[in-house]
Amino acid sequence: MRTQEAHCTRCGSADTRVTGLDQDSAEGNCFRCDKPFRATPCQHCGGFRIEGSFGVPGTRFENLPETVKCWDCGHRNPLRDPGPE
């Protein structure tokens, strides 16, 4: 794990408050979309700075991509389930 920062799994925002963090997950609340999230780490570097399943901050994908990018190492990870709306 390279950082204690976790991006929202829905919108990809870095404007989050992490309430729980370990090697397997990060839990917190997103201030941008006002929803709780549970993030899984990058499969390559273990970081939690990964773009959101619904797109980059402020946008939404019309068609969901198969992978999302890790901002720490650039690895493409399988799309993450953002959890309940």
Side-chain angles (χ1 to χ4, degrees):
M1 189 170 7
R2 295 170 66 181
T3 180
Q4 291 191 5
E5 178 182 6
H7 287 196
C8 176
T9 55
R10 285 184 177 78
C11 69
S13 175
D15 192 13
T16 61
R17 178 174 49 113
V18 176
T19 57
L21 181 67
D22 60 35
Q23 288 182 319
D24 300 320
S25 68
E27 294 181 6
N29 297 304
C30 178
F31 295 115
R32 180 172 295 226
C33 66
D34 197 31
K35 302 234 183 247
F37 67 87
R38 184 163 195 240
T40 54
C42 172
Q43 295 175 346
H44 185 256
C45 72
F48 289 99
R49 294 179 349 114
I50 301 173
E51 75 182 334
S53 295
F54 292 166
V56 296
T59 65
R60 289 178 69 102
F61 289 113
E62 287 186 26
N63 298 311
L64 291 177
E66 292 183 17
T67 61
V68 288
K69 179 181 177 181
C70 174
W71 297 115
D72 286 330
C73 71
H75 181 76
R76 301 296 301 187
N77 292 275
L79 184 67
R80 304 176 299 168
D81 180 3
E85 287 282 332

Coordinates of all heavy atoms in Angstrom, one line a residue:
M1 N 0.9 -1.2 0.0 CA 0.0 0.0 0.0 C 0.9 1.2 0.0 O 1.7 1.4 0.9 CB -0.9 -0.1 1.2 CG -1.9 0.9 1.3 SD -3.1 0.7 2.6 CE -2.5 -0.6 3.6
R2 N 0.8 2.1 -1.0 CA 1.7 3.2 -1.2 C 1.1 4.5 -0.6 O 1.8 5.4 -0.4 CB 1.9 3.4 -2.7 CG 2.7 2.3 -3.3 CD 2.8 2.4 -4.7 NE 3.6 3.5 -5.1 CZ 3.8 3.9 -6.4 NH1 3.3 3.2 -7.4 NH2 4.5 5.0 -6.7
T3 N -0.2 4.5 -0.3 CA -0.8 5.7 0.2 C -2.0 5.4 1.1 O -2.5 4.3 1.0 CB -1.2 6.7 -0.9 OG1 -1.8 7.8 -0.4 CG2 -2.3 6.0 -1.8
Q4 N -2.3 6.3 2.0 CA -3.5 6.1 2.8 C -4.7 6.8 2.2 O -5.7 6.8 2.8 CB -3.2 6.5 4.3 CG -2.2 5.6 4.9 CD -2.2 5.9 6.4 OE1 -2.9 6.7 7.0 NE2 -1.3 5.2 7.1
E5 N -4.5 7.3 1.0 CA -5.6 8.0 0.3 C -6.4 7.0 -0.5 O -5.8 6.1 -1.1 CB -5.0 9.0 -0.6 CG -6.1 9.8 -1.4 CD -5.4 10.8 -2.4 OE1 -4.2 10.8 -2.5 OE2 -6.2 11.5 -3.1
A6 N -7.7 7.0 -0.5 CA -8.5 6.1 -1.2 C -9.5 6.9 -2.1 O -10.2 7.8 -1.6 CB -9.3 5.2 -0.3
H7 N -9.6 6.6 -3.4 CA -10.5 7.3 -4.2 C -11.8 6.6 -4.2 O -11.9 5.4 -4.0 CB -10.0 7.3 -5.7 CG -8.8 8.2 -5.9 ND1 -8.5 8.6 -7.1 CD2 -8.0 8.9 -5.0 CE1 -7.4 9.5 -7.0 NE2 -7.2 9.6 -5.8
C8 N -12.9 7.4 -4.4 CA -14.3 6.8 -4.4 C -14.4 5.8 -5.5 O -14.0 6.0 -6.6 CB -15.3 8.0 -4.5 SG -17.0 7.4 -4.7
T9 N -15.0 4.7 -5.2 CA -15.2 3.6 -6.2 C -16.3 3.9 -7.2 O -16.4 3.3 -8.2 CB -15.5 2.3 -5.6 OG1 -16.6 2.4 -4.7 CG2 -14.3 1.8 -4.8
R10 N -17.2 4.9 -6.8 CA -18.2 5.3 -7.8 C -17.7 6.4 -8.8 O -17.8 6.2 -10.0 CB -19.4 5.9 -7.0 CG -20.2 4.9 -6.3 CD -21.4 5.5 -5.6 NE -22.3 4.5 -5.0 CZ -22.0 3.9 -3.9 NH1 -20.9 4.3 -3.2 NH2 -22.8 3.0 -3.4
C11 N -17.3 7.5 -8.2 CA -17.0 8.7 -9.1 C -15.5 8.9 -9.3 O -15.1 9.7 -10.2 CB -17.6 9.9 -8.6 SG -16.9 10.5 -7.0
G12 N -14.7 8.2 -8.5 CA -13.2 8.4 -8.7 C -12.6 9.6 -7.9 O -11.5 9.8 -8.0
S13 N -13.5 10.3 -7.2 CA -13.0 11.5 -6.5 C -12.0 11.2 -5.4 O -12.1 10.2 -4.7 CB -14.2 12.2 -5.9 OG -13.8 13.3 -5.1
A14 N -11.0 12.0 -5.2 CA -10.1 11.9 -4.1 C -10.6 12.7 -2.9 O -9.9 12.6 -1.9 CB -8.7 12.5 -4.6
D15 N -11.7 13.3 -3.0 CA -12.3 14.1 -1.9 C -13.1 13.2 -1.0 O -14.3 13.1 -1.0 CB -13.2 15.2 -2.5 CG -13.6 16.2 -1.5 OD1 -13.0 16.2 -0.4 OD2 -14.5 17.0 -1.7
T16 N -12.4 12.3 -0.3 CA -13.0 11.3 0.5 C -12.5 11.4 2.0 O -11.4 11.9 2.2 CB -12.6 9.9 0.0 OG1 -11.2 9.7 0.0 CG2 -13.2 9.7 -1.4
R17 N -13.2 10.7 2.9 CA -12.7 10.6 4.2 C -12.7 9.1 4.5 O -13.7 8.4 4.4 CB -13.7 11.2 5.2 CG -13.3 11.0 6.7 CD -14.2 11.7 7.6 NE -15.6 11.5 7.3 CZ -16.4 10.9 8.1 NH1 -16.1 10.4 9.3 NH2 -17.7 10.7 7.8
V18 N -11.5 8.5 4.7 CA -11.3 7.1 4.9 C -11.5 6.8 6.4 O -10.9 7.4 7.3 CB -9.9 6.7 4.5 CG1 -9.6 5.2 4.8 CG2 -9.7 6.9 3.0
T19 N -12.4 5.9 6.6 CA -12.8 5.5 8.0 C -12.2 4.2 8.4 O -12.1 3.9 9.6 CB -14.3 5.5 8.2 OG1 -14.9 4.5 7.3 CG2 -14.9 6.8 8.0
G20 N -11.8 3.4 7.5 CA -11.1 2.1 7.8 C -10.2 1.7 6.6 O -10.6 1.8 5.5
L21 N -9.0 1.3 7.0 CA -8.0 1.0 5.9 C -7.2 -0.2 6.4 O -6.7 -0.2 7.5 CB -7.1 2.2 5.7 CG -6.0 2.1 4.7 CD1 -6.6 2.0 3.3 CD2 -5.1 3.3 4.7
D22 N -7.0 -1.2 5.5 CA -6.1 -2.3 5.7 C -5.6 -2.8 4.4 O -5.8 -2.1 3.4 CB -6.7 -3.5 6.5 CG -7.9 -4.1 5.9 OD1 -8.0 -4.2 4.6 OD2 -8.9 -4.5 6.6
Q23 N -4.8 -3.8 4.3 CA -4.3 -4.3 3.0 C -5.3 -4.7 2.0 O -5.1 -4.7 0.8 CB -3.3 -5.4 3.3 CG -2.0 -5.0 3.9 CD -1.0 -6.1 4.1 OE1 -1.4 -7.2 4.4 NE2 0.2 -5.8 3.8
D24 N -6.5 -5.2 2.5 CA -7.5 -5.8 1.6 C -8.6 -4.8 1.2 O -9.3 -5.1 0.3 CB -8.1 -7.0 2.3 CG -7.1 -8.1 2.6 OD1 -6.2 -8.3 1.8 OD2 -7.2 -8.7 3.7
S25 N -8.8 -3.7 1.9 CA -9.9 -2.8 1.6 C -9.7 -1.5 2.3 O -9.0 -1.3 3.3 CB -11.2 -3.4 2.0 OG -11.4 -3.5 3.4
A26 N -10.4 -0.5 1.7 CA -10.5 0.8 2.3 C -12.0 1.2 2.4 O -12.7 1.1 1.4 CB -9.7 1.9 1.5
E27 N -12.5 1.7 3.5 CA -13.9 2.1 3.6 C -13.9 3.5 4.0 O -13.0 4.0 4.6 CB -14.6 1.3 4.7 CG -14.7 -0.2 4.4 CD -15.4 -1.0 5.5 OE1 -15.9 -0.3 6.4 OE2 -15.5 -2.2 5.4
G28 N -14.9 4.2 3.5 CA -15.0 5.6 3.8 C -16.2 6.3 3.2 O -17.2 5.6 2.7
N29 N -16.2 7.6 3.1 CA -17.3 8.4 2.6 C -16.8 9.3 1.6 O -15.7 9.9 1.7 CB -18.0 9.2 3.7 CG -18.7 8.3 4.7 OD1 -19.5 7.4 4.4 ND2 -18.3 8.4 6.0
C30 N -17.5 9.5 0.5 CA -17.2 10.4 -0.6 C -17.9 11.7 -0.4 O -19.1 11.7 -0.2 CB -17.5 9.8 -2.0 SG -17.1 10.9 -3.3
F31 N -17.2 12.9 -0.4 CA -17.8 14.2 -0.2 C -18.4 14.6 -1.5 O -19.4 15.4 -1.5 CB -16.8 15.2 0.3 CG -16.3 14.8 1.7 CD1 -15.0 14.5 1.9 CD2 -17.2 14.8 2.7 CE1 -14.5 14.2 3.2 CE2 -16.7 14.5 4.0 CZ -15.4 14.2 4.2
R32 N -17.9 14.2 -2.7 CA -18.4 14.6 -4.0 C -19.8 14.0 -4.3 O -20.7 14.7 -4.6 CB -17.5 14.3 -5.1 CG -18.0 14.7 -6.5 CD -16.9 14.6 -7.5 NE -15.8 15.5 -7.2 CZ -15.2 16.3 -8.0 NH1 -15.6 16.3 -9.3 NH2 -14.3 17.0 -7.7
C33 N -19.9 12.6 -4.2 CA -21.2 12.0 -4.5 C -22.0 11.7 -3.3 O -23.1 11.2 -3.4 CB -21.0 10.8 -5.4 SG -20.1 9.4 -4.6
D34 N -21.5 12.0 -2.1 CA -22.2 11.9 -0.8 C -22.6 10.5 -0.5 O -23.8 10.2 -0.1 CB -23.3 12.9 -0.7 CG -23.8 13.1 0.7 OD1 -23.0 13.0 1.6 OD2 -25.0 13.3 0.9
K35 N -21.8 9.5 -0.8 CA -22.1 8.1 -0.6 C -20.9 7.4 0.1 O -19.8 7.7 -0.1 CB -22.4 7.4 -1.9 CG -23.5 8.0 -2.8 CD -24.5 7.0 -3.1 CE -25.5 7.6 -4.0 NZ -26.8 7.7 -3.4
P36 N -21.3 6.3 0.9 CA -20.2 5.5 1.4 C -19.6 4.6 0.3 O -20.3 4.3 -0.7 CB -20.9 4.7 2.5 CG -22.3 4.6 2.1 CD -22.6 5.9 1.3
F37 N -18.4 4.2 0.5 CA -17.8 3.3 -0.4 C -16.9 2.3 0.3 O -16.5 2.5 1.4 CB -16.9 4.0 -1.5 CG -15.7 4.7 -0.9 CD1 -14.5 4.1 -0.9 CD2 -15.8 6.0 -0.5 CE1 -13.4 4.7 -0.3 CE2 -14.7 6.7 0.0 CZ -13.5 6.0 0.1
R38 N -16.6 1.2 -0.4 CA -15.6 0.2 0.0 C -14.7 -0.1 -1.2 O -15.2 -0.7 -2.2 CB -16.3 -1.1 0.5 CG -15.3 -2.1 1.1 CD -15.9 -3.1 1.9 NE -14.9 -3.8 2.7 CZ -14.7 -5.1 2.6 NH1 -15.5 -5.9 1.8 NH2 -13.8 -5.7 3.3
A39 N -13.5 0.3 -1.1 CA -12.5 0.1 -2.2 C -11.6 -1.1 -2.0 O -11.2 -1.4 -0.9 CB -11.7 1.4 -2.3
T40 N -11.3 -1.8 -3.1 CA -10.3 -2.8 -3.1 C -9.0 -2.3 -3.7 O -9.1 -1.4 -4.6 CB -10.8 -4.1 -3.9 OG1 -11.2 -3.6 -5.2 CG2 -12.0 -4.7 -3.2
P41 N -7.9 -2.8 -3.3 CA -6.6 -2.2 -3.8 C -6.3 -2.6 -5.2 O -6.8 -3.6 -5.7 CB -5.6 -2.8 -2.8 CG -6.2 -4.1 -2.3 CD -7.7 -3.8 -2.3
C42 N -5.4 -1.9 -5.8 CA -4.8 -2.2 -7.1 C -4.2 -3.6 -7.1 O -3.5 -3.9 -6.1 CB -3.8 -1.2 -7.6 SG -2.9 -1.6 -9.1
Q43 N -4.4 -4.4 -8.1 CA -3.9 -5.8 -8.1 C -2.3 -5.7 -8.3 O -1.7 -6.7 -8.0 CB -4.5 -6.6 -9.2 CG -6.0 -6.8 -9.0 CD -6.6 -7.5 -10.2 OE1 -6.1 -7.6 -11.3 NE2 -7.8 -8.1 -10.0
H44 N -1.8 -4.6 -8.8 CA -0.4 -4.6 -9.1 C 0.4 -3.9 -8.0 O 1.4 -4.5 -7.5 CB -0.2 -3.8 -10.4 CG 1.3 -3.7 -10.9 ND1 2.0 -2.6 -10.7 CD2 2.0 -4.7 -11.4 CE1 3.2 -2.9 -11.2 NE2 3.3 -4.1 -11.6
C45 N 0.0 -2.8 -7.5 CA 0.8 -2.1 -6.5 C 0.1 -2.0 -5.1 O 0.8 -1.6 -4.1 CB 1.1 -0.6 -6.9 SG -0.3 0.5 -6.9
G46 N -1.1 -2.3 -5.0 CA -1.8 -2.3 -3.7 C -2.4 -0.9 -3.3 O -2.9 -0.8 -2.2
G47 N -2.2 0.1 -4.2 CA -2.8 1.4 -3.9 C -4.3 1.5 -4.0 O -4.9 0.6 -4.6
F48 N -4.8 2.5 -3.4 CA -6.3 2.7 -3.5 C -6.7 3.9 -4.3 O -7.8 4.4 -4.3 CB -6.9 2.9 -2.1 CG -6.9 1.6 -1.3 CD1 -5.9 1.3 -0.4 CD2 -7.8 0.6 -1.5 CE1 -5.8 0.1 0.4 CE2 -7.8 -0.5 -0.7 CZ -6.8 -0.8 0.2
R49 N -5.7 4.5 -5.1 CA -6.0 5.7 -5.9 C -6.4 5.2 -7.3 O -5.6 5.2 -8.2 CB -4.8 6.6 -5.9 CG -4.5 7.2 -4.6 CD -3.3 8.2 -4.6 NE -2.5 8.2 -5.7 CZ -2.4 9.3 -6.5 NH1 -3.0 10.4 -6.3 NH2 -1.5 9.2 -7.6
I50 N -7.6 4.7 -7.5 CA -8.1 4.1 -8.7 C -9.3 4.8 -9.2 O -10.1 5.2 -8.4 CB -8.4 2.6 -8.5 CG1 -7.2 1.8 -7.9 CG2 -8.9 1.9 -9.8 CD1 -7.5 0.4 -7.5
E51 N -9.3 5.0 -10.5 CA -10.5 5.8 -11.1 C -11.8 5.0 -10.7 O -11.8 3.8 -10.6 CB -10.3 6.1 -12.5 CG -10.6 4.9 -13.5 CD -10.3 5.2 -14.9 OE1 -10.5 6.4 -15.3 OE2 -10.0 4.3 -15.7
G52 N -12.9 5.8 -10.7 CA -14.1 5.2 -10.3 C -14.8 4.4 -11.3 O -14.6 4.5 -12.5
S53 N -15.7 3.5 -10.9 CA -16.4 2.6 -11.8 C -17.4 3.4 -12.7 O -17.7 3.0 -13.8 CB -17.2 1.6 -11.0 OG -16.4 0.7 -10.3
F54 N -17.8 4.5 -12.2 CA -18.8 5.3 -13.0 C -18.1 6.4 -13.8 O -18.7 7.3 -14.4 CB -19.9 6.0 -12.2 CG -20.8 5.0 -11.6 CD1 -21.6 5.4 -10.5 CD2 -20.9 3.7 -12.0 CE1 -22.5 4.5 -10.0 CE2 -21.8 2.8 -11.4 CZ -22.6 3.2 -10.4
G55 N -16.8 6.5 -13.8 CA -16.0 7.5 -14.6 C -15.1 8.3 -13.7 O -14.9 8.0 -12.5
V56 N -14.4 9.2 -14.3 CA -13.5 10.1 -13.6 C -14.3 11.2 -12.9 O -15.5 11.4 -13.2 CB -12.5 10.7 -14.6 CG1 -11.6 9.7 -15.2 CG2 -13.2 11.5 -15.7
P57 N -13.8 11.9 -11.9 CA -14.5 12.9 -11.2 C -15.3 13.8 -12.1 O -14.7 14.4 -13.0 CB -13.5 13.6 -10.4 CG -12.4 12.6 -10.2 CD -12.4 11.8 -11.4
G58 N -16.6 14.0 -11.8 CA -17.4 14.9 -12.5 C -18.0 14.4 -13.8 O -18.8 15.1 -14.5
T59 N -17.7 13.2 -14.2 CA -18.3 12.6 -15.4 C -18.8 11.2 -15.2 O -18.5 10.6 -14.2 CB -17.2 12.6 -16.6 OG1 -16.2 11.7 -16.2 CG2 -16.6 13.9 -16.9
R60 N -19.5 10.7 -16.2 CA -20.0 9.4 -16.1 C -19.8 8.7 -17.5 O -19.9 9.4 -18.5 CB -21.5 9.3 -15.8 CG -21.8 9.7 -14.4 CD -23.3 9.7 -14.2 NE -23.9 8.3 -14.2 CZ -24.2 7.6 -13.1 NH1 -24.0 8.1 -11.9 NH2 -24.7 6.4 -13.3
F61 N -19.5 7.4 -17.5 CA -19.3 6.7 -18.7 C -20.7 6.4 -19.3 O -21.6 6.0 -18.5 CB -18.6 5.4 -18.5 CG -17.1 5.5 -18.2 CD1 -16.6 5.2 -16.9 CD2 -16.2 6.0 -19.1 CE1 -15.3 5.3 -16.6 CE2 -14.9 6.1 -18.8 CZ -14.4 5.8 -17.6
E62 N -20.9 6.5 -20.6 CA -22.2 6.0 -21.2 C -22.2 4.5 -21.2 O -23.2 3.8 -20.9 CB -22.3 6.5 -22.6 CG -22.7 8.0 -22.6 CD -23.0 8.5 -24.0 OE1 -23.4 7.7 -24.8 OE2 -22.8 9.7 -24.2
N63 N -21.0 3.9 -21.5 CA -20.9 2.4 -21.5 C -19.8 2.1 -20.5 O -18.7 2.7 -20.6 CB -20.5 1.9 -22.8 CG -21.5 2.1 -23.9 OD1 -22.7 1.9 -23.7 ND2 -21.1 2.7 -25.0
L64 N -20.0 1.3 -19.5 CA -19.0 1.0 -18.5 C -17.8 0.3 -19.1 O -18.0 -0.6 -19.9 CB -19.6 0.1 -17.4 CG -20.7 0.7 -16.5 CD1 -21.2 -0.3 -15.5 CD2 -20.1 1.9 -15.7
P65 N -16.6 0.7 -18.7 CA -15.4 0.1 -19.2 C -15.2 -1.2 -18.5 O -15.8 -1.5 -17.5 CB -14.3 1.1 -18.8 CG -14.8 1.7 -17.6 CD -16.3 1.8 -17.8
E66 N -14.3 -2.1 -19.1 CA -14.0 -3.4 -18.5 C -13.0 -3.2 -17.4 O -12.9 -4.0 -16.5 CB -13.6 -4.4 -19.5 CG -14.7 -4.8 -20.5 CD -14.2 -5.8 -21.5 OE1 -13.2 -6.5 -21.3 OE2 -14.9 -6.0 -22.5
T67 N -12.2 -2.1 -17.5 CA -11.1 -1.9 -16.6 C -11.1 -0.5 -16.1 O -11.6 0.4 -16.8 CB -9.7 -2.3 -17.1 OG1 -9.4 -1.5 -18.3 CG2 -9.6 -3.8 -17.5
V68 N -10.5 -0.2 -15.0 CA -10.2 1.1 -14.4 C -8.7 1.3 -14.1 O -8.1 0.3 -13.8 CB -11.1 1.4 -13.2 CG1 -12.6 1.6 -13.6 CG2 -11.0 0.4 -12.1
K69 N -8.2 2.5 -14.2 CA -6.8 2.7 -14.1 C -6.4 3.1 -12.7 O -7.1 3.9 -12.0 CB -6.4 3.9 -15.0 CG -5.0 4.3 -15.0 CD -4.7 5.5 -15.9 CE -3.3 6.0 -15.8 NZ -3.1 7.1 -16.7
C70 N -5.3 2.5 -12.2 CA -4.7 2.9 -11.0 C -3.8 4.2 -11.2 O -3.0 4.2 -12.1 CB -3.8 1.8 -10.4 SG -2.8 2.2 -8.9
W71 N -4.0 5.2 -10.4 CA -3.3 6.4 -10.6 C -1.9 6.3 -9.9 O -1.1 7.2 -10.2 CB -4.1 7.6 -10.0 CG -5.4 7.9 -10.7 CD1 -6.6 7.7 -10.1 CD2 -5.6 8.2 -12.0 NE1 -7.6 8.0 -11.1 CE2 -6.9 8.3 -12.3 CE3 -4.7 8.5 -13.1 CZ2 -7.5 8.7 -13.5 CZ3 -5.2 8.8 -14.3 CH2 -6.6 8.9 -14.5
D72 N -1.6 5.3 -9.2 CA -0.3 5.2 -8.6 C 0.7 4.5 -9.6 O 1.8 5.0 -9.7 CB -0.3 4.3 -7.3 CG -0.9 5.1 -6.1 OD1 -0.7 6.3 -6.1 OD2 -1.5 4.4 -5.2
C73 N 0.2 3.4 -10.2 CA 1.2 2.7 -11.1 C 0.7 2.6 -12.5 O 1.5 2.1 -13.4 CB 1.4 1.3 -10.5 SG 0.0 0.2 -10.7
G74 N -0.5 3.0 -12.9 CA -1.0 2.9 -14.2 C -1.6 1.6 -14.6 O -2.1 1.4 -15.7
H75 N -1.6 0.6 -13.7 CA -2.1 -0.7 -14.0 C -3.6 -0.6 -14.3 O -4.3 0.1 -13.6 CB -1.9 -1.7 -12.9 CG -2.4 -3.1 -13.1 ND1 -1.7 -4.0 -13.9 CD2 -3.4 -3.7 -12.5 CE1 -2.4 -5.1 -13.8 NE2 -3.4 -5.0 -13.0
R76 N -4.1 -1.4 -15.2 CA -5.6 -1.5 -15.5 C -6.2 -2.6 -14.7 O -5.8 -3.8 -14.9 CB -5.8 -1.7 -17.0 CG -5.3 -0.7 -17.9 CD -5.8 0.7 -17.8 NE -7.3 0.7 -18.0 CZ -8.0 1.8 -18.1 NH1 -7.4 3.0 -17.9 NH2 -9.3 1.8 -18.3
N77 N -7.1 -2.3 -13.8 CA -7.7 -3.3 -12.9 C -9.1 -3.6 -13.4 O -9.7 -2.7 -14.0 CB -7.8 -2.7 -11.5 CG -6.5 -2.6 -10.8 OD1 -6.0 -3.5 -10.3 ND2 -5.9 -1.4 -10.9
P78 N -9.6 -4.8 -13.2 CA -11.0 -5.1 -13.5 C -12.0 -4.1 -12.9 O -11.7 -3.6 -11.8 CB -11.3 -6.5 -13.0 CG -9.9 -7.1 -12.8 CD -9.0 -5.9 -12.5
L79 N -13.1 -3.8 -13.6 CA -14.1 -2.8 -13.0 C -14.5 -3.3 -11.6 O -14.7 -4.5 -11.4 CB -15.3 -2.8 -14.0 CG -16.3 -1.8 -13.6 CD1 -15.8 -0.3 -13.8 CD2 -17.6 -2.0 -14.5
R80 N -14.6 -2.3 -10.7 CA -15.0 -2.6 -9.3 C -16.5 -2.3 -9.1 O -17.0 -1.4 -9.7 CB -14.2 -1.7 -8.4 CG -12.7 -1.9 -8.6 CD -11.9 -1.0 -7.7 NE -12.2 0.4 -8.0 CZ -11.8 1.4 -7.2 NH1 -11.1 1.2 -6.2 NH2 -12.0 2.6 -7.6
D81 N -17.1 -3.1 -8.3 CA -18.5 -2.9 -7.9 C -18.5 -1.7 -6.9 O -17.9 -1.8 -5.9 CB -19.1 -4.2 -7.3 CG -20.5 -4.0 -6.9 OD1 -21.1 -2.9 -7.1 OD2 -21.0 -5.0 -6.3
P82 N -19.2 -0.6 -7.3 CA -19.2 0.5 -6.3 C -20.1 0.3 -5.1 O -20.1 1.1 -4.2 CB -19.7 1.6 -7.2 CG -20.6 0.9 -8.2 CD -19.9 -0.4 -8.5
G83 N -20.8 -0.8 -5.1 CA -21.7 -1.0 -3.9 C -23.1 -0.4 -4.1 O -23.4 0.1 -5.2
P84 N -23.9 -0.6 -3.1 CA -25.3 -0.1 -3.3 C -25.4 1.4 -3.4 O -24.6 2.1 -2.9 CB -26.0 -0.5 -2.0 CG -24.9 -0.8 -1.0 CD -23.7 -1.2 -1.8
E85 N -26.3 1.8 -4.3 CA -26.5 3.3 -4.5 C -27.0 3.8 -3.2 O -27.4 4.7 -2.8 CB -27.5 3.5 -5.6 CG -26.8 3.2 -7.0 CD -25.9 4.3 -7.5 OE1 -26.1 5.5 -7.1 OE2 -25.0 4.0 -8.2

